[in-house]
Amino acid sequence: MNRRQFMLGSSMVGLASSTSTHLLSETTMFSSSLGRAQSSTLNLLPFPQQVNVTEGSVAMGKPQFRFQQEKTPALQIAMKSLLEYAGDRSGQLMVSLGSLEDGYERMWLSASDNEWLATKATSSEASVISITQQGVTAVGKGRMGMLYGAQTINQLFIDARGEGKSELPCLQMRDWPDLKWRCLSPQLTWYAGFTRYEGFDIGNWSVAEWKWLADWTLLHKCNAWAVCMYGAWPFTLPGYEETTAQYDTFYYDPKSGQKTPRRYVHPNIRQEFFPDVIKYANARGIKVHAYIGKNSYNGTYIQQHRESNAQSPVAEALPFAPGLEDYWRAFIKRIIEIGFNGFVFEDPEAYHVPNQNEECYRTFWQPWAGEYGFSSVGETNRLKPPLGVHLEYSTWLFREFDKLIQSEAQLLRVQPDIYLIAHILQDRIMRETKSVEDRTRWFGLIDKKHGRPLPYIIAEDHEKEYVQLLGGDRVATLGGRGGAASGFHRIASLNLDRSHGDIGMDLGEERDKQQRLCEAGGFGAMGYIFQWTSTEAFGYLAAQYQWRHLGVPGISNKDAFCFLEYAYRRYYGDAVGKVVAEAYSTNSCVNEWMVALGEKPDYLVGLIMGNSLKREAQLLAAMADAADAHAHAAYQLFSGSEPDLKNPVYTSDQFAWDGYNTARDQLFKAERLRLLAVSTRRSRLLADAAFRWRRSNAMLAAGEGDLASVWADLSRALEEARESQVLYYCNYDDDYSIGNKGAEVTQKLETLCNQVLEKSGLSRVQAERAKTQPPEALRGLAISPDSVRWEKMTDTLPPEQRLGAGDVGMVVNLGLSDPIEYFCLGTVFTIQVNLHAQWRTIFRRTLLKKDSGWQHWEIPLGAVEKIFEIPLQLRFVTDNYSRAFDPAWPSWKWGFWGQPQLVHNRKNGERKVLYDFCEHAAHSRCLIVLDKDGAERRFDRQSVDSTGAAFKATAEGSYDGADAPSPKQPAIAAFAPYKNGLLGITIAEFDINLRPLSKNSGESTTRP
């Protein structure tokens, strides 16, 4: 029997009862995923540093304020926000506000709290909060500490309202931030005019939506934005209009179903509003920096002025080109005029130093000619600059831009902050030097050429070394950049885990990078939120771990999922947030680049956007079904209705915001949930289209199945691709790259469907009814496939998950290795029984990466009398899946069958162990089925195989470097084949004869 026949023989029948099919989802049956602790009873984010909840509570009411200071802007914002978050309530709540900086009544606090606030080491952003039955007190060391204390109270208001409570708990709290600079990074444009034309998500927001973000930022105690502006400028630039974000493009007209020409103009160019946004943010203690390239993607100048194009991989202009300095001055002046508080300058992200004119050679290259042994331009390579030349170019760029900034700032009487991102150059120094002395010399040279020491935002590595070299007050971190990589997709892709780094969008890795910087002693971190919708968790993560890097007490601060749930429960409320977290945790992340069969994009495109799915399509299609169900359930629970996937809840220009308002906040979040439902629906359509395309291709290639089945898969895949394409056009402005890719997938499927009809000589109706094998002429349309079974890995669970009195059944704990590996997508555990010479599936359960601990399962097989009548043949099938870009990256050692036993549940409540599979594992018939040929073969050694497959009993649940979950117990380590790129499944067959036990011989007793 080959692999495909083996799985086609699966069906949903058991020995004595039918089973039911479920989506991969959280279940309510007798199954538990252990190890997921609950958070503290205080639902705060960021969670405070020190808090003691005491007995009693105070009734909520309209805040009545008491203060002993001037009505500063910070105090006014604090009082305004407290009134807004408290809402309309009867009664009054006394709220005392103040700070050491501006004044407060010492009697409000204890002597020790007063002393703590006055201590020099206490942060100016620190606060003391006291809630008693007499009222609420928030006192900061500085005025921002007071304002942040008020935000803690606001979060308590939100939580109480969400839980239907009318009281606040009494407590005492001291709070302060771990990092001074807690910076979120949204975007106004990102590679606009280069990889895309129209803006996306936050880049197309209105003034009201940006003000919503400012209030969210204050509520979660972040104090800076680095607003990305890469590519076409999102503001007017007199004299250089051709470099701004306005182009001739298209939009989709739902009425006609056609793409129609239009003129796209960035919202901030149509009517400038960002100066108002900056003022609104500044009033809330948020400094707003312009995050731009240092001669990289500065507008679209080089596209319009070809003579100035340095032919760089990262859109650099050619230094000393005529008119370039005037252009630089123009956009620097405009940025300062708009009101930005400073700059986050990023070096060109490439090994590249221009050498195309005499000035470039003389300025960047010639100073290092003696060091590196060249004497003319002809002996240099601009794409392989030596380290010293790279340094010379980088520092020259800073001096040129700094000169422009200082001159324009002086005219406007402002002092912009400047932070540098020079991670490409810094990485070279760390890699190409061997000693601390050498590194110190290089960084000293940079400072000398800059003219002064500057604060750096480093890449996420060598944090301790950078702090030792430069001092903690000069070192911040980029923080992970997962919320930037999310901007590559319009499909929600949290915890994508196709690769390490920002492209993996893994919350666990992002948290680790934030924590490392704090532990190293740096001053700040960024949290990227280029696409707010469907990646809000990155904003929450930055807010928490930049403020209190130890995280949230009571949840796991180690994995990528517990904080995800905690964050979305804060965002949407407990009930909805939990369902949303399930949607993200089971999301397939399948996008347009993964659907077409046999495509081989170049390495970088495949790594960033995705490449053609292989065997993992089977599990991803099932995951996509589950995620879509969760997302739609969340929207319905939140709004009370089904989401309209083609029309927004509101349009940006309809949204209003000037401070917290519950109804408007709900409106904003309803649209985020609707877009999540759009994302999961599109991902489900694309994942199923990919799965069907591959299954029909396998049938065509092998000449198996009938033409009607092939046609059903292909025609349905085409319908799904079209539906996804329409949903994309209805919901997103940027059809330049992603929209075109969706159209390309649809076109390929349409062509294939037409070829099937043409070569078979059938009409569509005839193809739907053709029960004959595909003719030989159609086999030429197939791409040579692996012999994968192509069965969607949907769970198959028994309708009753507890053994009834008198029943015999399987009892087993299922688990994944602990700690779970980064590249694990999931392991599918299947149990089959041989009935009438055919293997039939009676149980299938997928454990995904999120499923920590053991899951306990009971699988009824039937009444004891029937079970004893005939010998049993059972199979344990173990199958691993990963999204890893390179299948050599994972270890593939994940699956554990914990204490699998065949038991008799006697009517008196006792359980008799009839067969212990761990004890007999060494005598099972172990097989592998490889994807490459689909043929079954025996292991070439006892319990292990040269392909890496294993089915090995272990007393403590550890084998070959992989540990089973806790609590430790006898288990079988079951690893699927993986070595040398040979993937497949592992099978263990057991022949069980229970007839001798029918006379009560050999039974052992265990209590349930």
Side-chain angles (χ1 to χ4, degrees):
M1 177 185 291
N2 66 28
R3 183 171 185 176
R4 187 173 297 108
Q5 291 169 331
F6 150 65
M7 290 311 296
L8 286 173
S10 302
S11 66
M12 294 168 229
V13 297
L15 286 173
S17 62
S18 64
T19 59
S20 58
T21 302
H22 298 249
L23 295 174
L24 290 168
S25 62
E26 184 181 20
T27 53
T28 56
M29 73 283 287
F30 184 54
S31 162
S32 61
S33 186
L34 307 177
R36 195 73 75 87
Q38 293 299 310
S39 64
S40 165
T41 54
L42 290 178
N43 295 316
L44 300 172
L45 199 162
F47 202 87
Q49 302 281 4
Q50 295 178 0
V51 61
N52 179 31
V53 179
T54 59
E55 291 186 2
S57 60
V58 60
M60 294 168 60
K62 183 177 181 179
Q64 300 297 304
F65 298 108
R66 179 173 61 171
F67 51 90
Q68 293 191 342
Q69 63 168 81
E70 294 293 325
K71 263 193 175 182
T72 62
L75 178 61
Q76 293 180 59
I77 292 293
M79 293 191 297
K80 179 177 183 290
S81 69
L82 286 162
L83 287 167
E84 291 165 347
Y85 285 100
D88 295 329
R89 290 188 175 274
S90 60
Q92 297 181 346
L93 175 66
M94 180 58 66
V95 179
S96 303
L97 298 173
S99 68
L100 189 65
E101 181 179 6
D102 292 323
Y104 73 100
E105 174 56 61
R106 299 304 191 267
M107 295 296 292
W108 294 349
L109 303 180
S110 68
S112 62
D113 284 338
N114 284 322
E115 181 180 353
W116 178 73
L117 281 177
T119 301
K120 184 177 180 181
T122 301
S123 166
S124 64
E125 296 177 300
S127 64
V128 172
I129 297 173
S130 174
I131 301 179
T132 68
Q133 293 179 342
Q134 285 68 50
V136 175
T137 299
V139 178
K141 180 171 183 176
R143 57 177 61 106
M144 286 308 301
M146 176 274 299
L147 184 54
Y148 289 145
Q151 304 317 302
T152 299
I153 299 165
N154 287 335
Q155 289 197 32
L156 291 171
F157 283 149
I158 293 171
D159 191 53
R161 184 164 53 246
E163 295 183 359
K165 295 179 180 178
S166 58
E167 298 174 330
L168 298 180
C170 290
L171 55 79
Q172 300 294 317
M173 184 185 299
R174 290 181 183 178
D175 204 8
W176 66 92
D178 286 340
L179 296 178
K180 294 179 182 178
W181 191 65
R182 304 176 302 282
C183 182
L184 299 177
S185 184
Q187 55 83 20
L188 276 167
T189 50
W190 194 37
Y191 300 124
F194 290 89
T195 59
R196 55 172 57 89
Y197 288 153
E198 308 89 339
F200 68 97
D201 195 64
I202 198 169
N204 279 343
W205 279 7
S206 66
V207 60
E209 289 167 310
W210 276 97
K211 287 182 176 180
W212 179 94
L213 183 63
D215 280 315
W216 185 96
T217 302
L218 171 61
L219 183 66
H220 298 92
K221 306 179 185 178
C222 297
N223 61 6
W225 286 348
V227 181
C228 178
M229 294 183 288
Y230 262 51
W233 297 115
F235 48 75
T236 58
L237 189 58
Y240 300 96
E241 290 81 2
E242 75 279 8
T243 70
T244 62
Q246 41 191 335
Y247 339 86
D248 292 323
T249 180
F250 299 89
Y251 81 100
Y252 178 78
D253 184 351
K255 293 181 179 178
S256 66
Q258 301 296 318
K259 291 171 71 172
T260 305
R262 70 156 173 170
R263 179 74 171 170
Y264 170 81
V265 180
H266 191 279
N268 188 57
I269 295 177
R270 291 199 302 268
Q271 182 173 353
E272 186 165 84
F273 62 78
F274 214 71
D276 292 338
V277 171
I278 294 174
K279 291 175 185 176
Y280 192 89
N282 287 171
R284 286 150 181 78
I286 305 161
K287 283 195 170 184
V288 182
H289 310 298
Y291 176 8
I292 65 173
K294 196 167 50 172
N295 191 33
S296 178
Y297 292 104
N298 294 145
T300 53
Y301 184 84
I302 63 171
Q303 292 181 342
Q304 310 301 325
H305 302 266
R306 301 291 182 180
E307 73 284 355
S308 69
N309 192 337
Q311 303 302 317
S312 154
V314 289
E316 295 168 77
L318 182 63
F320 309 107
L324 181 61
E325 184 175 347
D326 292 338
Y327 171 64
W328 284 353
R329 180 179 292 277
F331 70 71
I332 290 294
K333 178 182 179 181
R334 189 75 177 89
I335 288 170
I336 297 174
E337 287 176 343
I338 288 170
F340 282 94
N341 306 117
F343 293 84
V344 170
F345 261 130
E346 184 168 34
D347 271 7
E349 292 185 285
Y351 281 26
H352 177 260
V353 175
N355 65 357
Q356 293 99 312
N357 58 41
E358 185 60 33
E359 291 93 337
C360 284
Y361 176 76
R362 185 169 59 248
T363 306
F364 313 136
W365 296 81
Q366 194 170 44
W368 295 88
E371 178 82 13
Y372 296 111
F374 51 81
S375 58
S376 66
V377 171
E379 297 173 3
T380 65
N381 184 342
R382 62 186 175 84
L383 296 174
K384 293 182 179 180
L387 177 57
V389 174
H390 195 163
L391 180 150
E392 200 71 46
Y393 175 53
S394 172
T395 54
W396 178 85
L397 282 174
F398 171 75
R399 292 195 305 272
E400 291 298 302
F401 278 100
D402 187 48
K403 177 179 65 178
L404 299 173
I405 291 169
Q406 301 310 323
S407 65
E408 295 300 328
Q410 187 174 7
L411 293 174
L412 292 171
R413 297 181 181 180
V414 294
Q415 293 182 314
D417 299 326
I418 297 180
Y419 302 87
L420 291 186
I421 302 174
H423 62 92
I424 302 296
L425 175 61
Q426 290 169 340
D427 180 66
R428 291 194 66 178
I429 293 173
M430 300 303 277
R431 287 189 299 103
E432 296 180 26
T433 57
K434 304 301 181 184
S435 68
V436 173
E437 291 75 15
D438 279 348
R439 290 171 180 173
T440 301
R441 179 174 62 84
W442 280 103
F443 279 107
L445 182 58
I446 292 174
D447 288 346
K448 180 180 178 180
K449 289 183 176 291
H450 280 160
R452 64 184 187 275
L454 292 160
Y456 284 114
I457 305 169
I458 64 167
E460 305 88 340
D461 202 1
H462 299 295
E463 292 86 355
K464 289 183 179 179
E465 290 89 338
Y466 281 117
V467 169
Q468 290 167 359
L469 285 165
L470 302 169
D473 60 343
R474 294 185 62 193
V475 180
T477 177
L478 290 166
R481 293 175 278 178
S486 64
F488 290 128
H489 310 285
R490 298 292 85 77
I491 294 288
S493 299
L494 285 176
N495 296 329
L496 176 60
D497 298 347
R498 295 183 67 246
S499 67
H500 283 293
D502 54 340
I503 295 169
M505 290 174 265
D506 182 82
L507 291 172
E509 282 201 338
E510 189 102 353
R511 175 205 58 237
D512 294 346
K513 292 165 184 175
Q514 303 271 348
Q515 289 178 321
R516 287 203 308 266
L517 188 284
C518 186
E519 291 164 359
F523 75 87
M526 290 172 63
Y528 283 72
I529 51 170
F530 281 11
Q531 178 172 302
W532 176 259
T533 305
S534 296
T535 56
E536 303 94 340
F538 286 109
Y540 278 105
L541 186 143
Q544 174 59 59
Y545 292 97
Q546 291 173 9
W547 183 274
R548 184 180 190 272
H549 80 283
L550 294 178
V552 181
I555 71 168
S556 170
N557 289 281
K558 299 295 182 183
D559 66 24
F561 298 98
C562 287
F563 182 80
L564 172 71
E565 180 179 309
Y566 186 78
Y568 279 109
R569 283 167 52 203
R570 304 289 69 74
Y571 193 41
Y572 291 115
D574 278 347
V576 176
K578 189 173 182 179
V579 182
V580 170
E582 282 293 326
Y584 284 118
S585 297
T586 56
N587 187 23
S588 72
C589 307
V590 171
N591 64 43
E592 285 84 349
W593 273 262
M594 304 176 185
V595 178
L597 188 62
E599 282 194 345
K600 294 183 179 179
D602 67 56
Y603 181 89
L604 192 59
V605 171
L607 182 64
I608 293 174
M609 301 305 298
N611 48 8
S612 182
L613 295 178
K614 296 185 178 178
R615 68 190 318 274
E616 65 273 15
Q618 301 166 106
L619 180 55
L620 292 174
M623 291 172 63
D625 290 344
D628 190 44
H630 286 308
H632 281 68
Y635 184 90
Q636 189 171 38
L637 188 61
F638 188 80
S639 68
S641 63
E642 287 290 324
D644 181 342
L645 299 185
K646 294 184 178 180
N647 296 288
V649 175
Y650 70 87
T651 59
S652 285
D653 57 356
Q654 294 172 335
F655 189 67
W657 189 270
D658 191 33
Y660 183 80
N661 175 282
T662 302
R664 292 170 185 166
D665 185 61
Q666 295 289 96
L667 186 69
F668 177 89
K669 291 173 180 174
E671 177 61 4
R672 302 318 116 195
L673 275 177
R674 189 194 71 86
L675 288 170
L676 172 61
V678 171
S679 170
T680 58
R681 175 59 53 84
R682 290 187 57 245
S683 192
R684 194 194 90 185
L685 292 166
L686 293 171
D688 196 62
F691 170 75
R692 289 175 178 276
W693 196 340
R694 283 146 185 78
R695 185 169 63 181
S696 61
N697 181 75
M699 286 190 285
L700 278 177
E704 296 179 355
D706 53 51
L707 183 55
S709 299
V710 171
W711 177 254
D713 271 349
L714 283 177
S715 58
R716 179 57 185 156
L718 174 58
E719 291 171 7
E720 291 171 327
R722 279 177 176 156
E723 186 177 350
S724 172
Q725 188 183 351
V726 169
L727 288 177
Y728 183 90
Y729 289 147
C730 287
N731 287 282
Y732 306 109
D733 290 310
D734 55 325
D735 69 359
Y736 175 47
S737 56
I738 300 176
N740 280 357
K741 189 64 178 180
E744 180 184 316
V745 169
T746 301
Q747 184 59 54
K748 285 186 176 182
L749 278 166
E750 187 171 18
T751 298
L752 183 58
C753 286
N754 289 337
Q755 287 175 329
V756 167
L757 296 178
E758 180 183 343
K759 289 182 178 295
S760 66
L762 301 176
S763 66
R764 291 175 181 268
V765 173
Q766 290 171 327
E768 290 170 2
R769 300 171 181 173
K771 296 301 182 181
T772 57
Q773 281 192 329
E776 188 66 27
L778 290 184
R779 298 185 66 174
L781 298 175
I783 296 172
S784 180
D786 288 335
S787 296
V788 177
R789 59 183 172 268
W790 298 118
E791 181 177 11
K792 189 182 287 191
M793 291 291 103
T794 305
D795 284 350
T796 301
L797 307 175
E800 297 294 332
Q801 279 80 46
R802 280 186 178 275
L803 301 183
D807 278 351
V808 171
M810 287 281 302
V811 176
V812 65
N813 300 318
L814 304 178
L816 301 178
S817 57
D818 184 20
I820 189 59
E821 186 181 331
Y822 179 86
F823 287 115
C824 172
L825 177 61
T827 296
V828 179
F829 299 86
T830 302
I831 298 175
Q832 296 185 318
V833 62
N834 194 338
L835 280 181
H836 310 299
Q838 189 173 27
W839 290 104
R840 299 184 182 274
T841 296
I842 60 170
F843 174 84
R844 180 190 293 138
R845 176 64 171 170
T846 297
L847 296 193
L848 298 176
K849 184 178 178 180
K850 69 183 180 68
D851 295 317
S852 59
W854 292 105
Q855 284 193 3
H856 181 79
W857 290 92
E858 300 189 0
I859 304 120
L861 296 178
V864 64
E865 296 83 2
K866 293 186 177 180
I867 298 300
F868 283 160
E869 288 178 0
I870 57 173
L872 272 177
Q873 281 189 301
L874 292 176
R875 266 184 165 181
F876 289 15
V877 184
T878 313
D879 196 1
N880 287 337
Y881 293 91
S882 174
R883 276 190 283 235
F885 178 69
D886 187 335
W889 291 347
S891 76
W892 300 98
K893 301 172 185 176
W894 307 326
F896 287 89
W897 300 79
Q899 291 185 305
Q901 295 174 334
L902 196 64
V903 302
H904 175 204
N905 189 39
R906 302 185 69 177
K907 293 181 180 179
N908 63 3
E910 290 183 348
R911 287 194 172 180
K912 301 290 185 177
V913 178
L914 306 179
Y915 192 88
D916 189 304
F917 292 90
C918 284
E919 293 178 2
H920 295 84
H923 305 294
S924 64
R925 187 183 303 107
C926 294
L927 310 165
I928 62 167
V929 182
L930 297 177
D931 292 346
K932 71 168 187 174
D933 56 22
E936 289 183 7
R937 75 159 174 82
R938 296 285 294 267
F939 277 19
D940 50 25
R941 285 170 287 188
Q942 185 174 7
S943 303
V944 296
D945 187 76
S946 57
T947 61
F951 194 81
K952 180 79 171 179
T954 67
E956 294 296 325
S958 297
Y959 177 68
D960 198 19
D963 295 326
S966 295
K968 299 304 179 184
Q969 58 189 267
I972 298 172
F975 306 150
Y978 66 89
K979 289 185 177 180
N980 300 317
L982 297 176
L983 303 180
I985 62 174
T986 293
I987 302 169
E989 294 181 355
F990 292 86
D991 295 326
I992 306 168
N993 187 359
L994 298 179
R995 286 184 178 179
L997 299 182
S998 63
K999 300 179 181 179
N1000 293 324
S1001 62
E1003 293 182 332
S1004 60
T1005 303
T1006 181
R1007 291 286 180 180

